[in-house]
Amino acid sequence: MSTAAVTIASATSPAAISLAGPPLRLSISLALMCLLSTTLLGMGQRDATLPLLAVVVAAASLYLTDYRGWLRLSPRAADVVGVSVYVYALWDFRSMRSDEQLLAMASLLVYMQFVLQFQYKSERTYWLLALLSILQAAVSTALNLQLAFGLLLVAYLFVALGAMTAFFLYREAVDEWPAPPHRRRSVLDFLGPRQPARQRTRAASPIFRERGMTNVAGEIAGRPFAHQILMLSLGTLVLTMVVFVLIPRTPRTPWQQQETGAGLQRTGLSDNVKLGDFGALVEDPASVMRVQFFDYETGEPYTIRSELLFRGMLLTHYDDGAWAQPSAEPDPRRLAPYHAPLGGELVEQHIAIEPLDTEVVCSIYPFRKNQANSQLWYDFANHHLLRVGDAQRTTFSYKLVTTGLRNGRQLPLTPAAGRPSAAASRLPGGRSGEKLSRLRELAVEIVDGIPVEDAYTRAAELEKYMQSVERFSYSLETDEHPVGVDPTEYFLLESRRGHCQYFASALTLMLRSVGIPARMVVGYRGGEWNPIGEFFHVRQLHAHAWVEAYLRPEQIPDDLPMVRRDVGAWYRLDPTPGAGQGGLEDETSSGFPSIQQFVDYLQFIWGHYVVGMDARRQQDGVYMPVVRATTEVASVVGDPQVWIELGRYLLGVVRPSRWHPAGDRWFHWRGALVGMLLAAVVFLSVKLGSRWSSRWRAWRAQRKALRRQLRDPRYAFYRRMEKLLARHRLRRAEAQTQREFADLVARRLAQSGATRDFAHVPHRVATAFYRVRFGDERLDTTELQALESGLVQLEQALATVKNGS
Amino acid sequence: MRRSTLICREGWYYLIVVGFVLAGALLREINLLMVLFGMLIGPFLFSWQLARLSVRDVKVTRRAPRQAAAGQTISIDVELANNKRKAGSWAVVVEDVVYQEAGPEPGSTSTARLCFSHVAGKQKLTRSYEGRLASRGRYRLGPLTASSRFPLGLLRHCVRVDETSTLIVYPRIGHLTRRWNSLRQEAYHGSRQMQRRRGLVEGDFHGLRDWRSGDATRWIHWRTSARQGELMVREFEQHREEDLAVLLDLWQPASPTPHHKQTIENAISFAATILSEQCRRGGSHLLLARTAHKPVISTGSASLALLEVALEGLATAEAFDQDHLPAMLTAALAKVRPRASVVLVSTRAVDLSDTERFVELWQDPRLRRWAGRVICLDASSSDLDAFFRLDQNATTGLRDLSPAETH
């Protein structure tokens, strides 16, 4: 179709569409969107410079560029600045490591955004800003793991949807994007034209123009718009959750890497611990693990009543203030699930541990593995649990059954797997303890009078000595020990102040010096009880060191609870003052949770179900429950007995005699309820039935009418043309009118030399069809013959083209 | 009513970005990237529903005039009624197709576009579009298309309403010059000696019309005036000397140039202007004939009704490369009143003395007497320039008719 005839006239009322420029609200919402995405990026970079700069740029560009129009980079000036920024970023890029290169790329996105923000906001500028913002958000996901990031991402969703929808509404309402208003030349225009060269026009030369314009600014500010955006955002959030949990995760492949910004937290659980390492850790609130306890038999939550000690690793070798593991050659082996009866009170511990700088993971000992977990191993040489493979780099979850709890309290004794190794009795400088003679003397003095065979009392006495706040003080600050003096001995006898490692180290060595095998244990103490999630939240500041002393079977007092008495046991001692046997009744009792606990719980949910979602967790937490629920429902639905019972119940409910149990009452709630339900069901059925029935009837009538029309012999000539063209793959679309189709075909025919002469035929046939169809005319024989002749010629021409090709 | 949903160009770009995010999330298994994917795909899926919802249960109504003059600004109202109970219709764009069905450029189209940013539930909103159609002809308005791409412009849900309406665009009307009046007077005085006044002043009763200033009170039809509440007068078919026959020969070569087309438009506009002028004056008998496969002749007393019929015919008049002039002359002159002035407007030079070409004219004694009285004007030359000029803001000369409501 040509538009020649109608393009002669000029467009009308240009004043009606003149605009001062995009509404400021639109600019504000987009600036906010950009600001949030830059903040997301800044969080990942752990650097506040970019977000702060973004705030300044957003405010300045809104006022100077969008509102006042004083500062507008011309496109050429923007190009020059953009290229400069790019060159700068590229130069910086060369000397960086790969993870830093990602950050540099992210920064480049922000710089480009800054440049665009100081340009006049054409439609293209808006698109570019939106795209850059989304890209920033995408990059930031690889740099962040925190809950705050997630919350900000949600805020970003709301703002971005609002900004993009406002942008769309404005774009849709205007025929032409407004050109920048005239202003004086400024120094920044020296590089090029003052305004973008071309603005979008919806039509090249529109004949008809809309009179007036919708008040988009008013719509954007209105409540319906806010409500719409709110609903859209909430819906998107729900959908995001569904999509997130349903997207199948695959087992890890070399493609997959942990987020570069994750970083591994430092812990004291390393192969070699040097006294003083804990100093920095005990003040670090970073999350380490979350632990939940369940009764193994019933599956109910298990109430803990005492402070717990989660054992990490054992340290036996001591030399000059440094502790090392029992064996330099680890013997990690996969733990097979153990299903034999254990005896005692069985408690299942569910532990989710964060990525840490060690493979060692913690647990309440003794434990048994009751569930297959290919990434949870045990080092038989050093006696601690390990997570293997890439489990160290993710939030790792595992379940273990323990017998170390009774009535909510941790048992002081742990059954020994065998006799303690010689290392557990060794002192620096040999059995005589030459290097630690003063320490040995003090230990002997403390246990003086207690029989050698009463190892339990001796150990307790030594622990009591260390716990004395009159003698020792707990401090993260430790004094520098003199050269040549053992730091433990210096702590014990001179400075008398230190942290748990010093206390544990001193007690371990004193125990050994009086002939009791002992070892230092490093792990975590306590944790914070979270009543919302019903878990213990263990942080780095809960890192702790304590002592285990070996008691032979005959040395174990009868009043100490112990699962097995036929083997020796390790007796747990905690010499740090203030540590110990504090109860947890107050903490675990159900009170109103604090904000911190609420945030902790959110953090747990975020870390466990969002950041830490992997194939296994998805299998356990999403797919399997769905499969189980489906199976259960299917079994219920497929069981005829269930239906029989349901039928009986319903019959019983609707039996009229039940509606009037008293006989003389005219109204009964059950009868009324059933009546209302039945009425509602009937009403809905009738309503739905009539709606579907009318739709079905209309559909059938339409089809019938169409068929009848097509069968009408008066339209035979048109049918013939459609059939003829259909053979040459020219079919009329449902939405096309006959004339539109004819025009389309005419254009196609005009493209080929063989058919060009017959391009008018379809239009003639369509016009004749319109006359018959809409004008109720009858074509005479001559006209019909002429049409037929044209169709024959067209058919021949098309056949020629087909054969030729 | 036909419905369809399409992914817009922006939607495809958006999907590409979303695809990249998904690929990155799956390959690297970065959970937060999966969250971002959800946040990106969510609006896309909701767009589908929201766009559908925006155009569901809406009724689009067009109010357009039935006729207009070429070059005259016309305004067409479109009303969007949102019949949904609560949900609003957002960013509904109504497009109306203006398609020339008959006229000098059949098949030419133009599209008008209106945007309804928000129409709340159970509310109606009317917006208008306006423009000028440069070319005479019969136009089809419609089908109307209501579509929405809300909220982000990614998907377009479209509802098409097939009902159409017709707009007749009359030829451009100009102004007759004094030369034309002189020409008429010359023709009148030349034939005056042969005339003789006969019959009553009023002539034969023709119909009723509104009272105009200067009408004699004896023409008032009191019964109808009482019924209508306004004065109505009887209109008479008068037999006066101003009777006029305009014969239009629309010929063009097989491959017409823009000049030929312009000549045809000028000829038609001239004829339309004469008729408009005569009908405005009233009191004469008019005949308009034009060439076609079968000559088209309209005749009657100068009145708005005749003008309407004549202009409608001229609006859709076609030019032919065959010579239909002799047949048209024969048919038209047979109906011309004896005292009427006859003007032949042709798009080429015509020599009526060509006895071979106009054999019927010269063979029929009744027609032969017209041969010397027909004023021939050649539109392809500058003949017409002396008699009329076109005005950009011309109107039809008809009373403004209220817009017709169509769906």
Side-chain angles (χ1 to χ4, degrees):
Chain A
M1 286 181 225
S2 83
T3 56
V6 285
T7 51
I8 298 165
S10 61
T12 57
S13 67
I17 55 150
S18 71
L19 294 159
L24 193 62
R25 281 196 187 93
L26 189 59
S27 304
I28 292 173
S29 57
L30 201 75
L32 195 57
M33 178 182 169
C34 293
L35 181 61
L36 277 178
S37 59
T38 308
T39 309
L40 289 172
L41 210 53
M43 285 176 73
Q45 293 178 329
R46 289 169 178 77
D47 183 2
T49 313
L50 274 183
L52 288 176
L53 198 58
V55 172
V56 174
V57 168
S61 66
L62 277 175
Y63 186 73
L64 298 175
T65 308
D66 300 331
Y67 181 58
R68 289 287 182 187
W70 288 342
L71 176 66
R72 280 190 183 134
L73 291 178
S74 67
R76 206 175 296 170
D79 288 346
V80 170
V81 178
V83 169
S84 310
V85 166
Y86 180 74
V87 169
Y88 166 74
L90 200 68
W91 186 260
D92 219 15
F93 196 78
R94 293 185 325 141
S95 57
M96 288 177 172
R97 298 196 312 271
S98 61
D99 53 339
E100 289 175 332
Q101 284 174 345
L102 181 65
L103 299 180
M105 289 296 293
S107 300
L108 179 61
L109 293 175
V110 180
Y111 300 148
M112 300 302 258
Q113 174 188 302
F114 289 168
V115 174
L116 284 172
Q117 279 182 303
F118 282 110
Q119 279 191 282
Y120 173 73
K121 303 294 183 305
S122 66
E123 188 180 1
R124 181 173 156 270
T125 318
Y126 273 112
W127 273 120
L128 285 174
L129 280 172
L131 183 67
L132 283 175
S133 176
I134 291 174
L135 284 177
Q136 285 175 42
V139 173
S140 67
T141 58
L143 303 172
N144 283 285
L145 289 177
Q146 310 96 315
L147 171 66
F149 172 79
L151 296 175
L152 202 60
L153 197 62
V154 172
Y156 176 74
L157 171 74
F158 280 69
V159 171
L161 280 177
M164 294 307 292
T165 308
F167 172 46
F168 162 74
L169 274 183
Y170 183 71
R171 204 158 53 92
E172 200 75 335
V174 294
D175 275 347
E176 278 181 41
W177 194 268
H182 178 73
R183 65 177 174 82
R184 287 189 298 114
R185 274 187 87 80
S186 79
V187 287
L188 288 161
D189 292 332
F190 70 99
L191 282 167
R194 197 176 296 146
Q195 52 185 271
R198 187 176 295 173
Q199 296 288 340
R200 173 182 70 92
T201 306
R202 206 178 288 281
S205 175
I207 304 305
F208 293 101
R209 303 295 292 263
E210 188 168 2
R211 203 160 57 182
M213 189 197 148
T214 311
N215 179 17
V216 181
E219 296 289 1
I220 295 170
R223 275 185 67 184
F225 181 77
H227 179 257
Q228 196 72 38
I229 295 302
L230 182 70
M231 298 310 290
L232 177 63
S233 305
L234 291 176
T236 301
L237 269 185
V238 172
L239 195 74
T240 300
M241 285 190 255
V242 173
V243 167
F244 178 77
V245 296
L246 290 183
I247 287 180
R249 268 57 168 194
T250 51
R252 291 198 165 263
T253 65
W255 281 85
Q256 296 162 5
Q257 290 178 11
Q258 187 54 33
E259 296 81 340
T260 53
L264 297 177
Q265 296 175 35
R266 198 166 67 87
T267 66
L269 307 181
S270 58
D271 297 351
N272 295 289
V273 173
K274 199 163 175 61
L275 290 179
D277 276 357
F278 270 20
L281 294 172
V282 289
E283 285 192 319
D284 184 359
S287 176
V288 173
M289 60 181 180
R290 291 170 184 82
V291 189
Q292 290 175 295
F293 295 96
F294 297 92
D295 189 301
Y296 183 68
E297 303 296 337
T298 64
E300 294 294 317
Y302 184 83
T303 306
I304 300 296
R305 301 182 193 285
S306 71
E307 205 167 49
L308 301 174
L309 288 165
F310 298 96
R311 189 175 119 185
M313 67 191 330
L314 301 176
L315 301 169
T316 50
H317 293 281
Y318 177 81
D319 188 26
D320 197 21
W323 285 92
Q325 291 186 99
S327 171
E329 292 179 0
D331 180 20
R333 276 180 270 165
R334 184 177 293 196
L335 267 180
Y338 185 83
H339 298 293
L342 291 166
E345 200 169 299
L346 300 182
V347 178
E348 191 170 65
Q349 39 187 338
H350 294 187
I351 303 173
I353 190 162
E354 301 293 332
L356 301 172
D357 65 351
T358 177
E359 291 179 323
V360 178
V361 294
C362 300
S363 167
I364 300 285
Y365 280 66
F367 68 84
R368 288 290 182 271
K369 188 179 173 187
N370 66 316
Q371 203 178 52
N373 189 336
S374 60
Q375 291 180 308
L376 185 65
W377 290 27
Y378 189 76
D379 184 345
F380 284 88
N382 293 310
H383 305 287
H384 56 232
L385 281 163
L386 297 169
R387 50 176 158 177
V388 296
D390 54 6
Q392 186 188 342
R393 306 185 70 84
T394 61
T395 303
F396 178 63
S397 300
Y398 50 99
K399 296 175 186 175
L400 296 166
V401 173
T402 182
T403 53
L405 297 168
R406 182 165 296 175
N407 297 325
R409 296 179 183 279
Q410 192 168 9
L411 296 177
L413 296 174
T414 305
R419 292 190 63 78
S421 65
S425 306
R426 193 177 299 146
L427 282 169
R431 181 77 180 89
S432 57
E434 292 155 3
K435 279 190 178 176
L436 301 168
S437 56
R438 292 173 66 198
L439 180 145
R440 188 166 182 273
E441 284 168 14
L442 177 63
V444 170
E445 186 185 327
I446 292 167
V447 299
D448 188 31
I450 302 172
V452 175
E453 288 307 311
D454 191 358
Y456 170 72
T457 310
R458 286 183 142 214
E461 195 61 28
L462 286 171
E463 183 193 30
K464 192 176 159 190
Y465 177 83
M466 294 300 299
Q467 284 175 337
S468 166
V469 290
E470 287 83 23
R471 295 189 189 94
F472 298 98
S473 62
Y474 183 87
S475 171
L476 295 177
E477 301 292 326
T478 53
D479 298 328
E480 195 69 30
H481 60 274
V483 179
V485 179
D486 184 87
T488 305
E489 201 172 68
Y490 179 74
F491 156 74
L492 187 65
L493 300 167
E494 304 294 335
S495 71
R496 292 178 181 270
R497 65 173 196 158
H499 51 70
C500 58
Q501 277 186 342
Y502 285 93
F503 285 92
S505 183
L507 180 60
T508 308
L509 295 176
M510 283 202 290
L511 284 166
R512 287 183 186 180
S513 64
V514 296
I516 302 172
R519 60 194 186 187
M520 190 159 92
V521 185
V522 181
Y524 293 91
R525 182 180 71 188
E528 296 156 10
W529 172 248
N530 189 303
I532 307 169
E534 297 187 333
F535 58 77
F536 283 94
H537 186 193
V538 181
R539 302 171 186 273
Q540 284 292 15
L541 56 85
H542 296 122
H544 193 50
W546 65 95
V547 181
E548 284 183 348
Y550 179 74
L551 302 180
R552 294 194 299 274
E554 65 275 14
Q555 291 174 332
I556 300 171
D558 293 340
D559 57 336
L560 280 183
M562 176 70 184
V563 177
R564 292 179 63 186
R565 293 186 174 275
D566 54 335
V567 293
W570 289 97
Y571 176 44
R572 195 175 57 255
L573 301 161
D574 193 348
T576 308
Q581 309 306 317
L584 281 176
E585 273 81 359
D586 291 344
E587 281 191 60
T588 54
S589 60
S590 57
F592 194 76
S594 66
I595 292 175
Q596 181 59 44
Q597 286 170 331
F598 185 70
V599 171
D600 282 346
Y601 180 65
L602 282 182
Q603 190 83 44
F604 164 69
I605 296 290
W606 176 257
H608 195 74
Y609 292 109
V610 180
V611 178
M613 178 68 87
D614 56 11
R616 190 167 51 80
R617 196 162 296 163
Q618 191 178 35
Q619 183 77 9
D620 295 346
V622 181
Y623 292 157
M624 289 313 293
V626 170
V627 169
R628 272 198 297 274
T630 311
T631 314
E632 280 172 20
V633 169
S635 66
V636 168
V637 170
D639 185 358
Q641 194 58 35
V642 172
W643 292 103
I644 292 168
E645 290 296 325
L646 182 67
R648 277 186 191 147
Y649 173 76
L650 289 177
L651 280 174
V653 169
V654 301
R655 198 188 311 155
S657 61
R658 285 208 178 184
W659 302 353
H660 300 282
D664 54 347
R665 278 197 297 167
W666 65 273
F667 178 82
H668 191 265
W669 65 268
R670 189 178 286 177
L673 191 66
V674 170
M676 281 191 288
L677 275 175
L678 281 175
V681 168
V682 169
F683 175 76
L684 283 176
S685 306
V686 169
K687 190 96 178 161
L688 280 175
S690 66
R691 179 181 289 184
W692 284 106
S693 145
S694 64
R695 279 187 188 180
W696 185 73
R697 279 201 304 272
W699 177 77
R700 262 191 72 183
Q702 195 179 357
R703 280 185 66 84
K704 263 186 174 178
L706 202 66
R707 280 187 196 147
R708 204 165 41 237
Q709 269 182 23
L710 289 175
R711 277 200 301 268
D712 194 325
R714 290 184 301 163
Y715 312 137
F717 63 95
Y718 184 78
R719 276 208 310 276
R720 172 160 153 57
M721 183 181 80
E722 281 207 342
K723 276 184 186 171
L724 158 67
L725 293 173
R727 285 203 292 274
H728 297 276
R729 296 181 181 177
L730 290 166
R731 290 186 177 82
R732 184 166 66 88
E734 260 195 36
Q736 266 180 327
T737 65
Q738 281 79 3
R739 204 188 290 272
E740 286 166 353
F741 175 60
D743 290 333
L744 178 75
V745 173
R747 280 203 298 276
R748 294 272 180 86
L749 295 176
Q751 287 168 3
S752 166
T755 54
R756 189 172 297 138
D757 294 341
F758 307 102
H760 64 282
V761 173
H763 195 266
R764 276 179 57 196
V765 174
T767 307
F769 173 75
Y770 272 40
R771 282 169 55 203
V772 177
R773 172 74 180 82
F774 302 112
D776 206 23
E777 291 184 28
R778 285 195 175 276
L779 300 183
D780 57 32
T781 318
T782 319
E783 279 181 294
L784 284 172
Q785 279 174 351
L787 290 175
E788 182 59 30
S789 155
L791 287 173
V792 169
Q793 287 173 337
L794 177 62
E795 189 172 13
Q796 285 168 351
L798 286 169
T800 312
V801 172
K802 197 174 180 181
N803 294 335
S805 64
Chain B
M1 190 176 283
R2 301 171 193 184
R3 295 170 183 275
S4 58
T5 306
L6 291 170
I7 299 176
C8 304
R9 191 180 55 180
E10 291 93 334
W12 286 114
Y13 293 155
Y14 187 85
L15 281 180
I16 290 171
V17 173
V18 173
F20 273 116
V21 170
L22 178 64
L26 289 177
L27 288 176
R28 309 276 296 183
E29 199 146 304
I30 299 174
N31 280 328
L32 291 183
L33 209 50
M34 285 189 198
V35 171
L36 186 69
F37 165 73
M39 287 180 169
L40 288 173
I41 200 70
F44 186 85
L45 297 178
F46 280 112
S47 288
W48 184 42
Q49 279 305 311
L50 287 175
R52 281 171 64 96
L53 186 68
S54 283
V55 292
R56 202 183 72 195
D57 288 340
V58 295
K59 187 180 176 189
V60 189
T61 315
R62 180 201 305 113
R63 281 194 295 272
R66 288 195 185 90
Q67 73 274 319
Q72 180 191 3
T73 302
I74 53 171
S75 178
I76 295 170
D77 295 341
V78 176
E79 182 188 85
L80 183 83
N82 179 8
N83 295 325
K84 293 187 283 292
R85 192 173 296 170
K86 282 185 180 173
S89 286
W90 286 90
V92 178
V93 171
V94 175
E95 286 182 326
D96 200 4
V97 177
V98 182
Y99 177 84
Q100 193 183 77
E101 289 183 323
E105 295 279 349
S108 62
T109 57
S110 182
T111 305
R113 182 181 182 280
L114 292 167
C115 179
F116 296 79
S117 287
H118 178 230
V119 183
K122 291 287 176 196
Q123 277 197 1
K124 294 175 180 175
L125 198 65
T126 302
R127 296 193 64 76
S128 309
Y129 65 89
E130 58 185 16
R132 285 187 291 179
L133 288 166
S135 179
R136 67 187 169 83
R138 186 177 68 240
Y139 289 84
R140 184 195 70 202
L141 301 182
L144 281 165
T145 308
S147 64
S148 178
R149 302 193 297 158
F150 188 75
L152 300 175
L154 306 176
L155 288 154
R156 182 171 183 259
H157 188 72
C158 177
V159 175
R160 186 171 137 166
V161 184
D162 280 337
E163 279 82 6
T164 58
S165 58
T166 300
L167 170 69
I168 305 292
V169 175
Y170 296 147
R172 226 173 254 263
I173 308 288
H175 288 292
L176 296 171
T177 62
R178 287 182 180 175
R179 284 285 304 279
W180 169 255
N181 291 332
S182 306
L183 182 74
R184 286 294 317 278
Q185 280 175 4
E186 282 169 24
Y188 170 67
H189 291 303
S191 62
R192 193 173 180 185
Q193 289 123 16
M194 297 160 65
Q195 293 172 7
R196 92 188 139 82
R197 189 180 295 272
R198 69 167 195 180
L200 295 169
V201 177
E202 290 84 0
D204 301 329
F205 177 73
H206 172 67
L208 291 168
R209 62 166 171 82
D210 294 341
W211 183 83
R212 293 181 202 150
S213 176
D215 285 345
T217 50
R218 67 173 181 277
W219 293 345
I220 295 173
H221 194 274
W222 293 107
R223 192 182 300 166
T224 309
S225 299
R227 196 163 48 238
Q228 297 281 336
E230 58 181 345
L231 286 177
M232 302 293 288
V233 293
R234 282 168 289 183
E235 205 174 26
F236 298 97
E237 196 174 330
Q238 294 176 345
H239 310 290
R240 291 174 58 183
E241 291 76 12
E242 287 89 357
D243 288 352
L244 178 67
V246 180
L247 313 180
L248 199 53
D249 173 31
L250 298 175
W251 174 89
Q252 67 178 15
S255 304
T257 61
H259 174 71
H260 289 121
K261 289 182 178 176
Q262 189 56 44
T263 302
I264 288 161
E265 294 308 309
N266 283 345
I268 290 175
S269 284
F270 181 57
T273 305
I274 295 170
L275 289 169
S276 175
E277 186 77 12
Q278 288 295 117
C279 289
R280 192 171 56 79
R281 283 187 192 167
S284 61
H285 189 276
L286 296 176
L287 181 142
L288 173 70
R290 60 185 163 89
T291 51
H293 293 297
K294 190 178 167 187
V296 181
I297 300 171
S298 311
T299 182
S301 293
S303 64
L304 293 178
L306 175 67
L307 181 62
E308 200 171 35
V309 171
L311 290 182
E312 196 165 325
L314 289 176
T316 55
E318 289 178 77
F320 298 90
D321 56 355
Q322 297 97 343
D323 185 15
H324 296 304
L325 178 59
M328 187 269 280
L329 270 179
T330 308
L333 290 177
K335 293 186 177 180
V336 175
R337 295 199 168 189
R339 290 158 305 281
S341 308
V342 181
V343 178
L344 171 63
V345 183
S346 178
T347 54
R348 54 187 164 167
V350 176
D351 180 12
L352 290 181
S353 60
D354 187 343
T355 52
E356 284 186 16
R357 185 178 170 199
F358 301 104
V359 61
E360 285 187 39
L361 177 68
W362 290 104
Q363 281 181 352
D364 187 337
R366 283 184 307 153
L367 300 180
R368 195 184 308 144
R369 62 194 173 103
W370 285 106
R373 290 174 53 195
V374 174
I375 303 167
C376 294
L377 297 174
D378 181 5
S380 63
S381 67
S382 57
D383 280 6
L384 299 187
D385 295 347
F387 300 123
F388 98 119
R389 65 174 184 277
L390 280 173
D391 185 357
Q392 290 297 321
N393 297 316
T395 60
T396 58
L398 293 169
R399 281 194 305 258
D400 287 337
L401 298 176
S402 58
E405 187 169 296
T406 54
H407 300 291

